[in-house]
Amino acid sequence: MAVETPTPFGQAVRRKEDPRFITGAGTYVDDIVLPGTLFLSIVRSPYGHARIKSINAEAARTAPGVEAVFTGQDMQRTGVGAVPPGWLLPDIKIPNHPALAVDKVRFQGDAVAAVVATSPAAADDAAELLDVDYEQLPAVVDVEKALAPGAPLVHDDIPNNTSFVWRVAGGDVDRAFREADRVVEQRLVNQRLIPNAIETRGTLARFERSTDQLTLWSSTQIPHLVRLLLALTLNHPEHHLRVISPDVGGAFGSKLHYYPDELITAWVAKMVPGRPIKWVPSRSEDYQATIHGRGHVDNVAFAVMNDGTITGMRVDTVADLGAYLSTFGPLVPTILFALILSGAYRIPNIECEVKGVLTNTVMVDAYRGAGRPEATYVVERMVDIVAGELGMDRAEIRRKNFIPPDDFPYHAPTGVIYDSGNYAPALEKALQAIGYDELRRVQDEARLQGRYLGIGLSSYVEICGLAPSHIAVGAGAQAGVWESAEVRVLPTGKVTVYSGACWHGQGHDTGFSQIVSSELGVPMEDIEVVHGDTETVQYGIGTFGSRSAAVGGVAVHASVQKVIEKCRKLAAHMLEANVADVVYQNGKAFVAGSPDRAHTFQELALAAFLANNRPADMEPGLSETTLYDPTNFTFPFGTHVCVVEVDPKTGSVSVVRYLAVDDCGRIINPLLKDGQVHGGVAQGIAQALYEQAVYNEDGTLVTGTMADYGVPTAIELPPIETEATVTSSPVNPLGVKGIGEAGTIASTACVANAVMDALRPFGIRHIDMPLTPETVWRAMHQEGES
Amino acid sequence: MKVPISLTVNGRHYDAEVEPRQLLVYFLRDDLGLTGTHVGCDTSNCGACTIHMDGLAVKSCTVFAAQADGAELTTIEGVAKDGVLHPVQEAFWNEHGLQCGFCTPGMIMSTIALLDRIPSPSPDQIRHGIEGNLCRCTGYHNIVNSIQAAAQAMSSEAAEPAGAAVPAR
């Protein structure tokens, strides 16, 4: 049912965009049907590391329905082919990354050839006929082994498989460790994950020779950046390129990169005249060809005093990059990880070194949380381990070390400035809601009966709302990270918002409409939000890093305010009043105190179009654009708490209860906010208990299908209770922070801590994830109950 | 070598010729243009392809088009009648039971079949009832809420009106 009144910021309304999804009328890449389309099958290396001795395409070329077969050499001959990273760290060694491999393949899934045929089946059949003579080479898939002397080199020109060594330090770490009462050390592994958006990636390209226009549809989070990178790598003029992100079936960071497949599809469209080219991989192919997430080994040391105060931290990280540098590969394990290592705590001395290591695996890049789940896992696991050594209550040690509310804006030793925070109330709210004291009692009683309950806490702070461009570019970004919003008012008073953000399930259509509706005083159905097409939204960046509210939404707000300002001036002219005396409220402009003599928004929209009665210095029309560059990141925070039960007979872990208290500043729509927390928590629980991407020694992806990889079903996940505290962000006028990734950032550590808490009677200090039944059972039966 | 098939989809009769190896999901999407049914995996795990075949929820990626000869199929496009949403569709919308929407058609088809078998399922029965449908966005929390809300709406439609309790969260 249509709602005729404006919808407030903060209201839990159902989404405008849902009708097409619940009726099967969404348009994802594979739903787009263009006449004459040819289908692309990308032939990929079955080996983790091999030399390409020769390629015989004869049988493939002559197979039924085949239009063409292209190899890396064909691509090179046209001067096209290398895919660059989009974030450069100091002294970084960049491996050359041809979109189609020429002399060597470096991971299972590395693209070798492109087969183009009249149907997907014909293309796949012909791909099997491509005769590639490989000489298999030794592969290295483990980051620590890749660093060892004598390890196979992924790239001959990159010694020790090390692309970069990056450091950050603040305070006096040596002194903190010298003066500490004790030093607590632990090796933590943050295992490699496969993002598993339910829609795989996919591309469709059409090249119109007569106009030189090339259009690429791609399931992507960053159409504007893809356009730029296509221009640079395809050698095609940027203004003749159009990139469209249609409906996207989930992404979680895995569609935040410029992929070789996008370049290949676009290039093939130019090579095969007059036919659109479509590539939609199978899930198994997507597993091999889409970035994986996480992939750290962290050697951590905490300097602590006997009363539980944490005075210093050293983190030595080896981060898996995969075989090449993905678009944001260098950013995730460095800046997005290390800068937030202080977490929620006042730790004045921090030092972190990250080695970015290449392996014969698919590239690693941003996956929901991108560096911050890894940081939170380091901090929150260590806090529990320290508490264990000191015999301190898990909540108490956190309270003791929290950054106090008066310390904000807080200058972390890593160089970031936390915008606002109030950590203790979120913790207390979580403890109260879960009934913490009673639970500890229940836990003790259960142990006497041979039942192992565990309570896990995770008090997180995350860094999002990327980012001030001067910080990002200064730190290595090859693009600005502002966001655009044009608010265009039509003569009939309808409003179109063009946003450079690019959502893929979050509900921004609704959220942004609420911003416009509440400020302009127009009903939701009078507002249309457009995104994802570089032709209609002419300038933008994209959606990632929980920035769409804090950057994209603020840009919308700023443009709306400019529209309101113009409305006031126009109304003042029409009312023959002073602008200073005119107010805009509830969709009307009037002289303060005389609301009966008002001009409605709709009247002003028409007046602006007619333009016959306007101030001399005012242009016709009512349309305003903002490119908003934030002044800082934003720092959402909270405390998650969960209860698990470990079955001693099987090692199986059940999450009995999960409760999230999150503070993302002001909330645009509580339904959307809770939805993001639910989904984020689910992925974090899955990392703790079920998921791991595994390569064997020769580089074969063992977890190569959805049947082998633990994406949880509804049975494996608990109901997820959500609460909130609200600490406005001073960084932007809406006071919003970001919530898209917070659930994942907090939850992995929360569940891991709960399991380890359950296993305390066994004297086990730490077990690496995933905490599968076998892993837990073996640990329980090795140590024995103490 | 093609095989002739004759079937009804969303109340409409079709005669077609299919390759023996063609999967039903691709027949629906590519031959009939019904792209609401999605492909999300190649191992029958994800359930994005779920439709109804002769009254049962089936994964159309695991059925050959040729096997649908003589069958009566309903896809997501056939769920709403004359522009009126099915209570399950309405419930998913109200309860924010979808985000990216890709798993949603399959999830809705499984839900309708589940509620047909068990009109008032417990949360546990719901979770087991949709275990063949993967969702990566919602964590299933609001999907369970949606299914409970749908069950309640459908039982009060079937019995006497009004006084429907607020769905449990």
Side-chain angles (χ1 to χ4, degrees), chain A residues 612-661:
Chain A
N612 62 314
N613 184 17
R614 69 184 206 278
D617 63 347
M618 177 184 281
E619 285 182 17
L622 196 55
S623 168
E624 300 288 345
T625 300
T626 304
L627 299 180
Y628 170 66
D629 195 38
T631 52
N632 192 4
F633 301 88
T634 57
F635 296 80
F637 62 91
T639 293
H640 288 205
V641 58
C642 72
V643 183
V644 304
E645 178 152 8
V646 179
D647 183 338
K649 289 200 222 65
T650 62
S652 181
V653 177
S654 313
V655 182
V656 171
R657 218 179 142 192
Y658 195 102
L659 191 143
V661 179

Side-chain angles (χ1 to χ4, degrees), chain B residues 60-120:
Chain B
S60 61
C61 72
T62 315
V63 178
F64 288 116
Q67 288 176 277
D69 181 32
E72 208 168 295
L73 307 183
T74 310
T75 69
I76 184 68
E77 291 92 341
V79 168
K81 296 277 184 276
D82 299 317
V84 177
L85 293 176
H86 190 287
V88 169
Q89 289 171 306
E90 194 78 39
F92 270 75
W93 191 3
N94 289 333
E95 299 296 322
H96 191 36
L98 63 145
Q99 290 182 25
C100 81
F102 199 77
C103 79
T104 307
M107 196 68 77
I108 287 174
M109 301 312 284
S110 286
T111 299
I112 293 171
L114 168 66
L115 294 179
D116 203 47
R117 278 190 299 118
I118 310 174
S120 270

Side-chain angles (χ1 to χ4, degrees), chain B residues 7 25 57 70 77-78 87 92 97-98 109 126 135 140-141:
Chain B
L7 70 169
V25 64
E77 291 92 341
F92 270 75
L98 63 145
M109 301 312 284
I126 290 174
C135 174
Y140 305 102
H141 184 99

Side-chain angles (χ1 to χ4, degrees), chain A residues 183-205:
Chain A
V183 171
V184 179
E185 292 176 331
Q186 183 63 48
R187 178 178 182 274
L188 299 169
V189 176
N190 207 296
Q191 82 273 32
R192 177 187 270 255
L193 303 175
I194 299 178
N196 271 291
I198 305 296
E199 183 209 16
T200 63
R201 290 190 301 111
T203 53
L204 171 63

